[in-house]
C-alpha cells in the first residue's frame, strides 16, 4: 500500500474529492489536522500532500506550528519524496525551499479560472497529459512572487505567473485548488465576503460551481492517479536537469 501523509493546515479546507481520487488509485492516507495533531517523521511514507488554509505562509506569530510544516516540506524536497502542495501548501513549500510569497500585488484571485501549461509541463510525468488549458478553483490573497531556485514553471495565468511548479524530479506546488467542492467554496465566500467580491459576477453561484467542479474532476482525477503511481514507483519521475535543488 502506498502511504501518503496529508497535512491539513485548516479545518475549512478538507481533502474532499482529492482524497477519493488518491484512495481509488490505491493510496492509504494519513490525514493530520493541524495544530490539533502532530506531524510525524517522514519515514514510512511514500508521498506528502499539503492542503490550503486561511493563514499566510509565514504567519508564525499567530500560527507557530507553520514553521514545523515548512521544515517537513523542506525535508521532503531534500529527499526527493513525491510531494504536492496546494494553495497555502504550495506557498509553504516555496518559502521552505528559497522562494518568496507576498500579498498578491493585483488583489485576491477568487473563483473558477483557467491556467495554461508552460513548456516544461509537456515532458513532466504529472502534467504532460493535462490539456493545454485547465479548469481550476482559485481562492487566495497571497501569491508566490518568486519561485525557489531551480524550480520549473509548469502552469501560468495572465494575472499571476506562478500557478504550478516542480522542484527536482517529483516535488510539486500548485497555487490553485483541485480538492474543493461547491459547498466548501460557498462556505469560504460566506466567511470572506470581501475576498469573494473579486470573483467574476455569478462565478460563485451554486450552479456555476457545480459545473466547474465537474470539469475539475475530469481533468485532475487522472492527475491524482498519476501522483499515486509516482509515489508507488510505477511512474518515472521527471528527468533531472542541470539545476540544483535548494535546501532550506
Amino acid at each position: 500500500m502506498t502511504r501518503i501523509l496529508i497535512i491539513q493546515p485548516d479545518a475549512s479546507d478538507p481533502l474532499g474529492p482529492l482524497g477519493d481520487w488518491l484512495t481509488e488509485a490505491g493510496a492509504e492516507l494519513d490525514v493530520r489536522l493541524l495544530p490539533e495533531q502532530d506531524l510525524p517523521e517522514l519515514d514510512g511514507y511514500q508521498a506528502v500532500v499539503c492542503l490550503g488554509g486561511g493563514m499566510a505562509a509565514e504567519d508564525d506569530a499567530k500560527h507557530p506550528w507553520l514553521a514545523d510544516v515548512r521544515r517537513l516540506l523542506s525535508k521532503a524536497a531534500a529527499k526527493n519524496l513525491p510531494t504536492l502542495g496546494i494553495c497555502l501548501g504550495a506557498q509553504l513549500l516555496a518559502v521552505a525551499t528559497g522562494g518568496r510569497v507576498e500579498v498578491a500585488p493585483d488583489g485576491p484571485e477568487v473563483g473558477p479560472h483557467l491556467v495554461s501549461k508552460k513548456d516544461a509541463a509537456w515532458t513532466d510525468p504529472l502534467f504532460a497529459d493535462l490539456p493545454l488549458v485547465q479548469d481550476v478553483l482559485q481562492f487566495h490573497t497571497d501569491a508566490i512572487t518568486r519561485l525557489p531556485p531551480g524550480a520549473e514553471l509548469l502552469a501560468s495565468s495572465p494575472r499571476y505567473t506562478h500557478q504550478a511548479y516542480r522542484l527536482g524530479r517529483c516535488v510539486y506546488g500548485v497555487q490553485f485548488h483541485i480538492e474543493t467542492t461547491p459547498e466548501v467554496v460557498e462556505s469560504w465566500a460566506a466567511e470572506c465576503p470581501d475576498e469573494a467580491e473579486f470573483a467574476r459576477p455569478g462565478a460563485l453561484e451554486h450552479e456555476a460551481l457545480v459545473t466547474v467542479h465537474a470539469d475539475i474532476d475530469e481533468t485532475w482525477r487522472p492527475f491524482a492517479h498519476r501522483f499515486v503511481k509516482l509515489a508507488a514507483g510505477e511512474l518515472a519521475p521527471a528527468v533531472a536537469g542541470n539545476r540544483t535543488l535548494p535546501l532550506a
Side-chain angles (χ1 to χ4, degrees), residues 69-117:
V69 178
R70 293 196 302 271
R71 279 191 289 269
L72 185 145
L73 293 173
S74 176
K75 290 178 182 178
K79 291 164 62 76
N80 260 312
L81 185 69
T83 299
L84 176 62
I86 296 173
C87 199
L88 172 64
Q91 296 171 0
L92 288 164
L93 176 63
V95 171
T97 52
R100 179 180 296 164
V101 173
E102 300 173 286
V103 174
D106 292 326
E109 191 173 31
V110 176
H113 280 266
L114 298 172
V115 299
S116 58
K117 288 163 69 171

Side-chain angles (χ1 to χ4, degrees), residues 16-236:
L18 177 58
D20 298 332
W21 305 340
L22 296 172
T23 55
E24 69 190 17
E28 176 186 335
L29 309 181
D30 181 5
V31 181
R32 302 294 179 103
L33 175 62
L34 303 181
E36 289 85 351
Q37 296 174 293
D38 294 332
L39 287 174
E41 297 296 323
L42 290 173
D43 297 340
Y45 296 97
Q46 284 72 54
V48 176
V49 174
C50 185
L51 299 170
M55 60 287 295
E58 297 180 271
D59 194 2
D60 294 11
K62 292 182 180 178
H63 310 282
W65 47 269
L66 286 171
D68 295 330
V69 178
R70 293 196 302 271
R71 279 191 289 269
L72 185 145
L73 293 173
S74 176
K75 290 178 182 178
K79 291 164 62 76
N80 260 312
L81 185 69
T83 299
L84 176 62
I86 296 173
C87 199
L88 172 64
Q91 296 171 0
L92 288 164
L93 176 63
V95 171
T97 52
R100 179 180 296 164
V101 173
E102 300 173 286
V103 174
D106 292 326
E109 191 173 31
V110 176
H113 280 266
L114 298 172
V115 299
S116 58
K117 288 163 69 171
K118 304 298 286 184
D119 288 348
W122 294 103
T123 57
D124 182 85
L126 297 190
F127 279 77
D129 289 340
L130 292 178
L132 173 61
V133 178
Q134 307 114 49
D135 288 284
V136 300
L137 193 288
Q138 302 278 14
F139 211 111
H140 64 98
T141 58
D142 291 348
I144 300 167
T145 55
R146 186 183 69 203
L147 289 179
E152 294 275 6
L153 183 63
L154 299 175
S156 189
S157 70
R159 190 171 185 184
Y160 291 112
T161 301
H162 303 135
Q163 292 290 344
Y165 65 92
R166 188 191 70 241
L167 285 166
R169 303 186 67 193
C170 56
V171 177
Y172 295 85
V174 296
Q175 177 59 80
F176 44 83
H177 293 277
I178 60 174
E179 80 290 2
T180 53
T181 63
E183 292 74 20
V184 164
V185 178
E186 288 166 344
S187 71
W188 294 349
E191 293 167 7
C192 306
D194 292 341
E195 288 83 354
E197 289 184 0
F198 283 83
R200 294 187 299 272
L204 298 182
E205 293 180 0
H206 185 74
E207 290 306 316
L209 291 174
V210 169
T211 298
V212 74
H213 279 89
D215 294 335
I216 289 172
D217 182 287
E218 182 178 355
T219 297
W220 295 100
R221 181 192 293 259
F223 174 92
H225 291 181
R226 290 193 292 275
F227 182 74
V228 175
K229 289 183 178 181
L230 180 68
E234 299 170 4
L235 181 65

